[in-house]
Amino acid sequence: MAKNNNNGKMSRQQAGEKGGKATARNHDQEFFEEIGQKGGEATSRNHDQEFYQEIGQKGGEQTSKNHDQEFYEEIGRKGGETTSQNHDQDFYEEIGRKGGEATSRNHDQEFYEEIGEKGGKARSRSRDNNNNN
């Protein structure tokens, strides 16, 4: 039970804890999912893309301080598995097309020459390694 401060009243933090515990006892997961969705919708109406980019960047920076490469490999693997279960070939074709269009807008001929040269060298090395086995 929350202890009162010197003047017999609960602090704001104590009252919040007490209310939170009562709410948790009186409602199920569906209730919390519904209010979470409503809150998310209200937030999206009240904030622009810049807001989400900023909080995403802050969250990413904080996460990178607390996790190592193994963490990112694991969540990447899980995300890839989930995505492949939820999407078909059309989805991948569409995101590939969009990615190709974005890349072509953001890079010049020199970029394509450089990646083509790197790819050719890698393929040559792979072919040489297979012939030596």
Side-chain angles (χ1 to χ4, degrees):
M1 183 163 207
K3 293 184 179 179
N4 295 340
N5 60 20
N6 293 337
N7 62 8
K9 294 182 182 179
M10 272 189 267
S11 70
R12 207 175 269 180
Q13 179 180 350
Q14 291 168 327
E17 282 182 37
K18 187 176 179 182
K21 288 177 182 176
T23 302
R25 282 193 308 272
N26 295 325
H27 296 285
D28 61 5
Q29 182 175 348
E30 186 177 322
F31 168 81
F32 290 104
E33 289 173 358
E34 185 178 323
I35 64 169
Q37 182 169 353
K38 288 179 180 178
E41 290 169 356
T43 301
S44 71
R45 285 192 303 273
N46 295 323
H47 295 284
D48 60 5
Q49 182 177 357
E50 188 175 312
F51 167 81
Y52 289 103
Q53 289 173 338
E54 184 177 328
I55 64 171
Q57 182 174 350
K58 287 179 181 177
E61 289 170 358
Q62 192 60 42
T63 301
S64 71
K65 291 177 187 174
N66 297 323
H67 296 284
D68 59 6
Q69 182 174 350
E70 188 175 306
F71 168 81
Y72 289 103
E73 290 172 356
E74 177 70 8
I75 63 170
R77 183 188 59 73
K78 288 179 179 178
E81 288 174 0
T82 301
T83 301
S84 70
Q85 292 166 2
N86 294 329
H87 297 286
D88 61 6
Q89 183 175 347
D90 290 341
F91 169 80
Y92 290 102
E93 290 173 0
E94 176 70 8
I95 63 172
R97 183 187 60 73
K98 288 180 178 179
E101 289 173 358
T103 302
S104 70
R105 283 193 305 272
N106 296 323
H107 296 285
D108 59 8
Q109 183 176 349
E110 186 178 320
F111 167 80
Y112 287 102
E113 290 172 358
E114 184 178 323
I115 64 170
E117 184 178 334
K118 287 179 181 178
K121 287 179 181 176
R123 188 168 184 169
S124 176
R125 281 192 304 273
S126 176
R127 191 173 37 243
D128 290 345
N129 286 340
N130 287 339
N131 289 338
N132 291 334
N133 290 332

